[in-house]
Amino acid sequence: DPVCQMTASTALNETHGPKEATRSSSNGWAPWIPQTRNRETTYAYHTTDLGNTSQVTGVLVGNPRAGTRLVRSFAVHWSYDGDLFYDIGERFNLTALPINISFAKPFDMRYVRFVILATSSDTDFTRPVTVTLEWQGCVLGTQSPPVCPSLLSTR
């Protein structure tokens, strides 16, 4: 299937599933982040298959719904095969959304993963976290599938 596939480690419900992470969505992706005891950490993540190997240079992170918790810290992982992921080595701390983040260097990848490390309230689990993503960069070789949540251009 040439259309970008979006998956997630978890979702609150179908209304906030992984395909709702597009910038045009009024719902956004809302991961189910369980309350943890003894500071155990569970990192929710969203994975996008860009359809082709692409050079990704950054991401626009948004929050489409007022009254929800915000992502305060995240990491980005990349993969060529969708099975083995590598950390790009940067941590991004956010103070406001939407925000356009540029990576220190571009990365070639087919799969890109957004990993939530912290939210605006790690103790208030009554409000969901909602996120929209728009990956930036360019497709290496062929055109990007038309429904990818990205600003990827062709080279």
Side-chain angles (χ1 to χ4, degrees), residues 1-7 46-59 76-80 82 85 103 107-113 133-140 142-153:
D1 187 352
V3 175
C4 278
Q5 298 298 311
M6 291 175 275
T7 59
H46 183 279
T47 304
T48 302
D49 175 354
L50 298 171
N52 298 292
T53 300
S54 302
Q55 187 172 80
V56 179
T57 59
V59 62
V76 174
H77 297 173
W78 64 272
S79 175
Y80 286 117
F85 282 82
F103 303 154
F107 289 87
D108 293 353
M109 63 186 76
R110 176 172 170 173
Y111 300 85
V112 60
R113 181 171 282 174
L133 303 168
E134 189 168 272
W135 298 103
Q136 300 169 345
C138 63
V139 175
L140 302 176
T142 60
Q143 286 195 345
S144 179
V147 297
C148 289
S150 66
L151 288 176
L152 297 176
S153 60

Side-chain angles (χ1 to χ4, degrees), residues 20-22 25 27-31 46 60-64 68-71 97 114 116 129-133:
E20 294 298 316
T22 61
S25 171
N27 293 322
W29 165 58
H46 183 279
L60 175 64
V61 181
N63 176 28
T68 62
R69 293 183 312 181
L70 304 177
V71 171
L97 293 174
F114 179 88
I116 297 173
V129 175
T130 58
V131 179
T132 58
L133 303 168

Side-chain angles (χ1 to χ4, degrees), residues 32 35 51 73 78 82 84 105 112-113 123-125 131 135 147:
W32 178 73
Q35 186 171 0
S73 178
W78 64 272
L84 186 58
K105 66 176 189 166
V112 60
R113 181 171 282 174
T123 57
D124 177 5
F125 292 93
V131 179
W135 298 103
V147 297

